Each structure stands twice: as C-alpha cells, then as structure tokens.
C-alpha cells in the first residue's frame, strides 16, 4: 500500500483527524486528489479511551481508521461531504476531550490543594493509630479491656504488614483487606473471639473517624457470628469459676505466706478482682473507718466501697504506718503492671501460675472433671499433691476469681441486700444502679464487718468496733420489708 503526500486540501483543524482517499485497489491518497479510481473517503484520528496516563496525567488515546458514510450508509466520494462527516464525527470527541482536560486539570488542582493541607496536618497513620486510640477522649473502657484491645490490634497490624506493607494511613485500608482479614480470622478463631476482634476494629474507626478522615469504615459491612443457644450456654458454663467450700477457703488462707497471703485475703474478704487486689494502694484503704474505696480497673465506673473485716484489718495493720505508701503489695503490682517492649503484660502469668500452684498445694481441683490436670495425693510425700494430665484441653474451674464468687455467695448467705452486694462488687444491672445510685458508707461496712473485735496496729494504733452490738443485731435483721420499722426504733433510742 502506498500513501501519497497530503496536500492543502487534506489539512484540517488540529485534533480533527486526517482525511484521505482510498482507491479500489486499496491505495491511499491525500484528500482532494482528483481522478482516483473508485475513491472513497476515510478518516484517521485519535480516539479517547476514557483513561488517563498515571505518569503524564494526560488522556490515553488509540489510533483509529474509519470509512466515512453518508446518512443513508453509502460511502462518501466527495471532499465537501467528507468535511461535513469529519466535523460531525469528531465533534463529540473534541468537545469531550476539552471537557475531560478541564476536569483533569481541576482534579490536579484539588489534589495539589489537599496535598498541601495533608502535608501540614496528615491523616492518622497505622503506626500512630494505637497511641491515638488508647488516649482518645471518646474511649471509655477499663485497663483490662484496653489490654485485650491492644492484643487485637497487634494481631491485626502483624497481618496487615504481611498482606500489604505499603499501607501507611488508616484510610488506605480498604474493604478488600478487611474482608480478607475477617476470612482468615474466621477460619482460626472461635465465634466469640472473632466477634471481639471485628467489633474492636469497628470501634477503632468509629472513635477516630475524624483523625482517620475516611468516608466509611472498611469493616462496616462485616457481620458478627451468632452462637447457638446450646453452644452459648455451654461456653458460659465452661468459663464459670466455682465457689470454694468453707474448708477449702480456710486452707487456702492459712497455708498462704507473706504478701500472697495478703493477696488471697483481699480476694476472699473484699471480692475484688485480681488486678484490683494486685494494684490496691494504701490511700484506698481507709483503715480508720475501716473501708476500701476504689474505682474498679475493669469497668472504670464509680468507686466501690467495701468494708474491711477485722482479720484483714489486722493483717494490713502489720505494716507500720510509716511504710504505708504506694501499693499495698509492691511486688504483685510490679508484675501485674509490667509491660514488655512489645507492649504486652508478660509478667501477669507469674502471678496466676503461683496462685494456681497454691490451690494445687491445698489439694484443690483447679480444672473441671476430665479436663486438664487432675490433682492427686503424692504417694511419695504425705500431705503433698501432684498433677496428672488427663489428655484433654483444660477447663479452669478454680482460680483467683473463685474468691470473688465465694465472697458474693457468702454475702448472700448472710442476708446482705442484693443491692449492696451489687454496689460493693462493682457490677449489676444499670436499671438497679439507677434506682439505688448511692450506698452509704455504713451499709458498705456492715456488709463485711460481722465479727466484733478490737484490733491493734503495728504502731499501737487502736481501732474499735464502730457500732454497739445491739445496733449491729438490728441491722443484721434488716430486710426490705422491716427497714422502716427498724429505722424508727433506732432513731427513738
């Protein structure tokens, strides 16, 4: 195929393409060339693809050749009609191209504007996300929950690094990544664990939506897994700690030594959780009342008030007043609060392992029947016990939390009002808490001060029973039905 030179008749406006004539034997000639045998007009032009070059940011076009036809579909053979068809064909592309160029330029200007703004105040990065989240004023949770959240976050970031190492900002995490993480998590984790992870990631984007500057959370469309009633009931039963018998409780307290005896006494006589017992401070122990007043670390709600029974008061007063500074149990507090370089509380297992070993030394079965280890008498050492593995996954039945269960059960058996138990335990229904928003100091003390006894301090400080015996008898006999009558009797004395 030969192509002649295009003359002045073939020239057109820039961007309108190139007209030429094609002969019957498929040879091309410039537009307007006379005497071309069976000549039909064609046009060669650059057709926009609708895409933009990522480097030059210019529209991408493809070269196209097309035969020109009139309105009846017949080939055009004259230059005049070819010009008209050319303008009609190219008008849509020229106009669209100009609009596209304007839009592209506007987008570039907007992008540069946003870039300047974000350089001065960048959106939240993945690296800074946890620091921002844990200190965020909109976040309301206790230290234990925050510890669990940190574990969820570390697991997610570890996966994200291997999935897409180029992600810098939180808003760059897309739905595809979210669904992929959820898919892998769902294959490995139980339904309850899966739900906790997904709900946490949703919370991250909800709490820090302004800092992230993303339109929609990539985890918004993920749904949690439902548990069957039977499975949920079985799981709840599986994680329930049992109460200790009176004989077991006496043995646990009497055989413990040093600070660990104080730790066990705090758990048994106050019902505080392990974290609160380990990190209890002297300024929270009001020994002259005597009472503990502390904000539970798990719920971070209002302070609970718990009366201190005489035996525990005696134990605490063994510490001279001059040394009652900081934590009541410094070594336990150090292990409980220790944070490794990776941000994990790795020393807490030292405490829990020692607690569980103490239960075993008392001959107490710490695992449910047929699971974990079975505690049996040591045939070679009288009075000692050994653990025999059952071959099944352990289901913990007795742990430090059993002391809390035992405390609450003992209060119920003594007839302590359910409302007071809920308040000193730091939990209960919100409706009940709303109706009875205040429990007096006397009510909190009476819940545990059930042994009349003078107590001597290590520095000769004397704390006497705060109430006469006859008053205590009246109060112990108080119920929801007779409290008004007893109140009148007391006021008349």
């Amino acid at each position: 195929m030969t192509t002649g030179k295009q003359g002045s008749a073939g020239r057109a406006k820039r961007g309108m393409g190139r007209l030429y004539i094609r002969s019957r034997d498929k040879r091309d000639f410039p537009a307007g060339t006379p005497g071309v045998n069976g000549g039909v007009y064609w046009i060669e032009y650059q057709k926009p693809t609708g895409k933009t070059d990522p480097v030059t940011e210019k529209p991408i076009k493809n070269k196209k050749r097309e035969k020109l036809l009139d309105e009846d579909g017949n080939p055009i053979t004259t230059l005049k009609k070819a010009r008209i068809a050319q303008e009609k064909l190219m008008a849509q592309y020229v106009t669209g191209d100009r609009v596209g160029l304007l839009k592209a330029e506007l987008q570039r200007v907007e992008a540069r504007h946003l870039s300047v703004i974000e350089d001065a105040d960048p959106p939240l990065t993945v690296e800074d996300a946890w620091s921002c989240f844990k200190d965020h004023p909109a976040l309301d949770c206790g230290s234990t929950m925050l510890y669990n959240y940190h574990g969820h976050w570390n697991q997610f970031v570890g996966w994200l690094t291997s999935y897409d190492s180029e992600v810098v900002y939180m808003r760059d995490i897309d739905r595809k990544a979210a669904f992929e993480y959820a898919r892998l998590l769902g294959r490995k984790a139980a339904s309850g664990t899966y739900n906790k992870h997904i709900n946490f990631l949703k919370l991250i984007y909800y709490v820090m939506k302004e800092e992230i500057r993303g339109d929609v959370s990539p985890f918004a469309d993920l749904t949690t897994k439902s548990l069957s009633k039977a499975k949920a009931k079985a799981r709840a039963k599986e994680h329930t700690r049992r109460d200790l018998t009176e004989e077991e409780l006496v043995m646990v307290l009497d055989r413990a030594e040093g600070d660990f005896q104080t730790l066990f006494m705090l758990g048994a006589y106050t019902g505080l959780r392990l974290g609160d017992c380990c990190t209890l401070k002297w300024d929270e122990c009001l020994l002259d009342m005597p009472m503990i007043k502390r904000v539970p670390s798990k719920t971070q709600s209002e302070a609970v008030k718990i009366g201190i029974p005489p035996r525990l008061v005696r134990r605490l007063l063994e510490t001279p007043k001059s040394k009652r500074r900081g934590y009541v149990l410094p070594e336990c507090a150090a292990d409980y609060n220790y944070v490794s370089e990776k941000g994990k509380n790795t020393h807490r297992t030292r405490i829990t392992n020692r607690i569980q070993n103490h239960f075993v030394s008392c001959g107490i079965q710490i695992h449910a029947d047929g699971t974990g280890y079975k505690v049996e008498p040591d045939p070679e050492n009288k009075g000692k016990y050994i653990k025999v593995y059952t071959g099944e996954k352990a289901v913990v039945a007795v742990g430090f939390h059993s002391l809390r269960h035992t405390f609450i059960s003992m209060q119920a058996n003594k007839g302590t009002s359910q409302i007071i138990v809920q308040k000193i335990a730091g939990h209960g229904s919100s409706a009940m808490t709303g109706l009875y928003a205040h429990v007096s100091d006397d009510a909190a003390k009476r819940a545990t001060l059930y042994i009349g006894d003078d107590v001597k301090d290590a520095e000769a400080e004397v704390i006497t029973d705060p109430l006469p015996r006859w008053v205590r008898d009246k109060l112990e006999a108080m119920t929801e039905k007779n409290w008004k009558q007893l109140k009148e009797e007391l006021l008349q004395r």
Side-chain angles (χ1 to χ4, degrees), residues 6 37-38 113 127 156 189 223 257 295 330 353 357 453 468:
Q6 184 172 353
N37 184 25
H113 178 66
E127 183 179 0
F156 172 70
T223 57
E257 298 178 351
V295 176
N353 288 343
N357 288 336
D453 187 12

Side-chain angles (χ1 to χ4, degrees), residues 124-126 128-134 136 138-139 146 149-150 152-154 156-157 170-171 173 196-213 217-219:
L124 186 64
T125 63
V126 175
D128 296 333
W130 175 253
S131 297
C132 180
F133 177 76
K134 70 182 181 67
H136 203 286
L139 182 66
L146 195 63
Y149 283 162
H150 197 192
H152 300 336
W153 176 250
N154 287 338
F156 172 70
V157 172
M170 288 290 291
R171 69 181 186 189
I173 301 172
K196 290 176 182 177
H197 274 255
I198 297 305
N199 286 334
F200 160 70
L201 292 168
K202 288 182 178 181
L203 180 64
I204 278 262
Y205 277 84
Y206 175 78
V207 169
M208 302 189 297
K209 53 188 176 184
E210 292 185 3
E211 290 83 356
I212 293 174
R213 298 180 198 161
S217 164
F219 298 92

Side-chain angles (χ1 to χ4, degrees), residues 76 321 323 423:
I76 295 178
K321 185 184 292 186
K323 294 184 178 180
K423 296 299 288 185

Side-chain angles (χ1 to χ4, degrees), residues 447-472:
T448 50
L449 290 175
Y450 54 90
I451 301 177
D453 187 12
D454 288 350
V455 181
K456 292 188 176 181
D457 192 329
E459 295 182 350
E461 180 182 40
V462 177
I463 298 178
T464 59
D465 192 343
L467 293 172
R469 184 68 204 181
W470 66 268
V471 175
R472 292 167 49 74

Side-chain angles (χ1 to χ4, degrees), residues 103-382:
K103 286 183 177 180
E105 182 62 25
L106 180 61
Q107 290 174 354
R108 284 194 292 271
V109 171
E110 290 178 345
R112 285 195 295 269
H113 178 66
L114 290 175
S115 178
V116 171
I117 293 176
E118 292 189 350
D119 285 344
D121 183 21
L124 186 64
T125 63
V126 175
E127 183 179 0
D128 296 333
W130 175 253
S131 297
C132 180
F133 177 76
K134 70 182 181 67
D135 298 326
H136 203 286
L139 182 66
D140 182 17
C141 70
S143 59
T144 301
M145 186 64 72
L146 195 63
Y147 172 77
N148 293 335
Y149 283 162
H150 197 192
H152 300 336
W153 176 250
N154 287 338
Q155 181 173 329
F156 172 70
V157 172
W159 171 85
L160 182 65
T161 302
S162 60
Y163 176 78
D164 187 355
S165 60
E166 295 184 359
V167 171
V168 176
Y169 299 107
M170 288 290 291
R171 69 181 186 189
D172 294 337
I173 301 172
D174 56 19
R175 291 176 71 254
K176 182 180 179 182
F179 275 81
E180 180 63 19
Y181 179 68
R183 184 181 68 82
L184 294 177
L185 185 65
R187 292 155 92 190
K188 297 181 180 179
S191 298
T193 303
Y194 173 89
N195 292 344
K196 290 176 182 177
H197 274 255
I198 297 305
N199 286 334
F200 160 70
L201 292 168
K202 288 182 178 181
L203 180 64
I204 278 262
Y205 277 84
Y206 175 78
V207 169
M208 302 189 297
K209 53 188 176 184
E210 292 185 3
E211 290 83 356
I212 293 174
R213 298 180 198 161
D215 295 332
V216 182
S217 164
F219 298 92
D221 295 334
L222 291 176
T223 57
T224 54
K225 294 183 178 181
S226 59
L227 293 172
S228 66
K229 290 184 179 180
K231 190 172 182 180
K233 186 176 181 180
R235 178 163 295 175
K237 185 177 180 180
E238 177 180 304
H239 293 282
T240 299
R241 303 291 189 268
R242 72 168 177 84
D243 295 354
L244 297 177
T245 65
E246 184 176 346
E247 181 181 2
E248 288 174 333
L249 183 59
V250 171
M251 190 184 307
V252 166
L253 296 180
D254 288 349
R255 291 192 179 184
E257 298 178 351
D259 281 355
F260 250 62
Q261 186 177 52
T262 305
L263 179 66
F264 278 105
M265 291 176 72
L266 283 170
Y269 292 146
T270 68
L272 288 172
R273 298 177 177 89
L274 176 60
D276 290 314
C277 291
C278 289
T279 59
L280 183 68
K281 295 183 177 180
W282 281 111
D283 59 9
E284 296 170 324
C285 300
L286 313 178
L287 298 180
D288 57 337
M289 298 188 67
M291 176 187 295
I292 288 174
K293 187 175 181 181
R294 177 180 173 88
V295 176
S297 58
K298 180 178 181 180
T299 60
Q300 293 290 308
S301 56
E302 62 179 303
V304 297
K305 303 172 185 176
I306 309 170
I308 310 176
R311 184 181 178 188
L312 180 55
V313 174
R314 282 197 294 271
R315 181 70 178 183
L316 295 175
L317 291 180
E318 291 176 6
T319 301
K321 185 184 292 186
S322 59
K323 294 184 178 180
R324 295 176 200 159
R325 301 286 186 274
Y327 293 109
V328 175
L329 303 171
E331 292 183 5
C332 290
D335 279 339
Y336 194 86
N337 292 330
Y338 176 81
V339 179
S340 68
E341 294 180 355
K342 295 182 178 181
K344 297 183 178 181
N345 300 102
T346 53
H347 287 188
R348 290 183 182 178
T349 53
R350 294 182 179 180
I351 304 173
T352 55
N353 288 343
R354 191 175 171 187
I355 289 170
Q356 295 305 87
N357 288 336
H358 180 65
F359 281 126
V360 171
S361 71
C362 294
I364 297 174
Q365 299 288 347
I366 59 175
H367 296 155
D369 291 343
T371 72
Y373 290 91
K374 183 179 181 181
V375 178
E376 296 181 348
D378 187 344
E380 298 180 0
N381 296 287
K382 188 176 180 180

